[in-house]
Amino acid sequence: MITFEGASKHYPDGTVAVDGLDLTVETGATTVFVGPSGSGKTTSLRMINRMVEPTGGTVRIDGRDVRDQDPAVLRRSIGYVIQQAGLFPHRTVLDNIATVPLLLGWRRAKARARAAELMELVGLQPAQARRYPHQLSGGQQQRVGVARALAADPPVLLMDEPFSAVDPVVRTTLQDELLRLQQELHKTIVFVTHDIDEAVRLGDRIAVFRPGGVLAQYDAPERLLAEPVDAFVESFIGYDRGVRRLSFFPARELSPRQDTVFDDQTRAEDAYDIAAGHGSPWVLVVSAEHMPLGWVGTEQLARVPAGVPLGDLDLAPYGHTFNVGTDSLRAALDAAVLSPAGLAVGVDDDGRVVGVVSQDDLGTAIWSVTE
Amino acid sequence: MSAAETAHAGTAAWDWVTGVAQWGVDNWSRPGEPDRGIRPRLVQHMRLAYVSIGIGLALALPLGLACARWTRLYPPVLTGVNVLYAVPSIALFFLMLPYTGFSEWTAIVPLSLYTLVILLPNVVDGLRQVPDHVRQAAVAMGFGPLRRLVAVEMPVAVPVIIAGLRVASVATISMVSVASLVGLGGLGQLILTDGFRRQFDAPIVVGILLTVALALVTDAVLVLAQRRLTPWARRDRSRRARAAAPVGER
């Protein structure tokens, strides 16, 4: 547990970076500090490992004031991942990762063996051990940064905008990997970002900082999105917080319909009769294995000569699908909005069609869960 | 020019080349006058140049560290070094005479000071170009200030320092010759004493060629040293090829 008790950082020129921060970071959870620049989130993070010394108040780790320890010794027990990775350019990937174990006085062979273990943990290939940092891509460098921070198995991990310098695709991958690692390792992670989406994705708890170094709100992500405490938090979270909040509700709540799903051997006139019967403007054509093939309009079916199977028609692409078992309402809504038919295709883990969900059905489900 | 004239000019040029070469071979060492052969002068030239560069580097490193650490120190120190460099070398050699006489220190002290004008800015720039995120990462990992300097900042500065060392070496090797005016100067003695005063061009040509060769060899040694010391800084074509096709995913 990390506790900030009235922690402040006032600079001699009058600038206030952090003002009277009271906050408790839970052990084994990911706490995200988020806020615009100049809100003191990085300064607060750096108070934990004494890279910034507070001018008032105290910071404790498990009840012990961080000022009781020599800074260099303290820092070796706290993992740190910095923006742009901060790798040592003159050391190989393996030796970069072994940095803290070596500082702690481990034998070189043991430190390197540990480093090799970590390379595997963060998804780096053994062949990359003897590379130098400049020979790696940004995403790989950041993996090395995470491995280096974890090398001495510290209970606390500080991450200062670690993924902000990589492109969005790689960033999403790295976020997924961090979530996976955290499920395995249960570190006490303090993560700084200015990206609220990243905060919502990664955080068990989110602390929103406002300019001037004041804590605006400290809550679980669902509650933050549902009940921002004031106009600043609301505007910082963004106008689409309602949609983002849907990512906390599972798509299991939906009941996908099967009566407009036909296999590709069905004759067009039979499909037309059934679809027209319940007024559905589109039908979804699937293969014999129930894999989605595409959409066809009921109007078009009316013009097709009798006896032609659905599989022979020109089908509109089925677009995005969502996994009924694992995805959220947000993914289902996204699939519906992007579908040419305005209907979301729900699939199981093997990609087989479970049924389709209309925007009306989605609206009802959203209204009932967010009520 | 007729064919005969061309042939004659060609023969004359050839005679001159063989004459110079013959003089070089005959005078490589002079058993009667052990100090006046080409070989002892080459050895002295190397000694004067290398000792000066070594002392210069030994001064530039701590001075550069101090200037990088206390930035306010840098402008006055750099100005001082520049002013010193503006003093003509001949004047400085003569100024040294009362203190060091005709010992080699008369050449070495000024030459060492001259190297500072190149080495000091390179040490400072080398340390300054250590990226901030690298320095901060080192602090956050738990390096103390001294350990950080020795294990992270200095190694990262090595390519820039060696680049300065290459320029300083060539400049010093060339400037040693001037010290022949105070009776030192290695190969410069060939040029001044044997060549210029006697209006005889073979020693001048040999002196120039050997000075140039010494500079080139020294530079090549430094380039090799840099490759050995900083394999991580090699920016070659294979690096770009790797960047284009990285192992595994990005």
Side-chain angles (χ1 to χ4, degrees), chain A residues 46 51 72 75-76 80 84 86-87 89-90 99 103 125 128 131-132 134-135 137 140 143 148 167, chain B residues 133-134 136-143 147 151-152 155-156 231-232 234 239 242 247-250:
Chain A
R46 292 182 170 191
M51 284 173 77
R75 288 169 193 151
R76 288 171 205 166
Y80 195 94
Q84 295 172 292
L87 300 182
H90 62 298
T99 300
L103 281 172
Q125 294 170 5
Q128 291 164 329
R131 293 266 170 95
Y132 288 101
H134 77 78
Q135 298 170 317
S137 69
Q140 288 168 341
R143 283 167 193 266
R148 181 175 64 175
D167 68 68
Chain B
H133 61 104
V134 171
Q136 299 222 2
V139 173
M141 296 297 117
F143 281 89
R147 208 156 172 184
V152 178
V156 175
W232 51 273
R234 223 172 286 171
R239 174 198 174 207
R242 268 194 297 274
V247 169
E249 51 115 15
R250 295 206 326 124

Side-chain angles (χ1 to χ4, degrees), chain B residues 198-215:
Chain B
R198 296 198 216 147
Q199 297 283 300
F200 177 35
D201 49 7
I204 299 179
V205 173
V206 170
I208 290 170
L209 286 180
L210 284 178
T211 308
V212 170
L214 185 60

Side-chain angles (χ1 to χ4, degrees), chain A residues 49-67:
Chain A
N49 73 349
R50 293 188 64 185
M51 284 173 77
V52 170
E53 301 279 10
T55 48
T58 48
V59 179
R60 297 175 196 277
I61 299 178
D62 295 328
R64 188 175 176 197
D65 191 332
V66 292
R67 274 170 293 194

Side-chain angles (χ1 to χ4, degrees), chain A residues 139-210:
Chain A
Q140 288 168 341
Q141 291 187 12
Q142 214 40 266
R143 283 167 193 266
V144 177
V146 172
R148 181 175 64 175
L150 291 171
D153 202 21
V156 176
L157 191 58
L158 308 180
M159 307 184 79
D160 185 7
E161 304 207 23
F163 306 147
S164 61
V166 294
D167 68 68
V169 177
V170 176
R171 187 182 313 147
T172 307
T173 317
L174 291 172
Q175 289 169 349
D176 287 340
E177 297 263 331
L178 182 64
L179 289 168
R180 176 182 63 79
L181 277 177
Q182 174 65 345
Q183 274 194 336
E184 225 175 286
L185 303 174
H186 301 290
K187 299 288 180 191
T188 304
I189 299 180
V190 184
F191 191 107
V192 164
T193 181
H194 56 257
D195 177 357
I196 184 72
D197 282 318
E198 189 168 59
V200 169
R201 244 176 93 88
L202 299 175
D204 297 312
R205 299 264 274 163
I206 298 176
V208 182
F209 286 70
R210 74 170 88 241

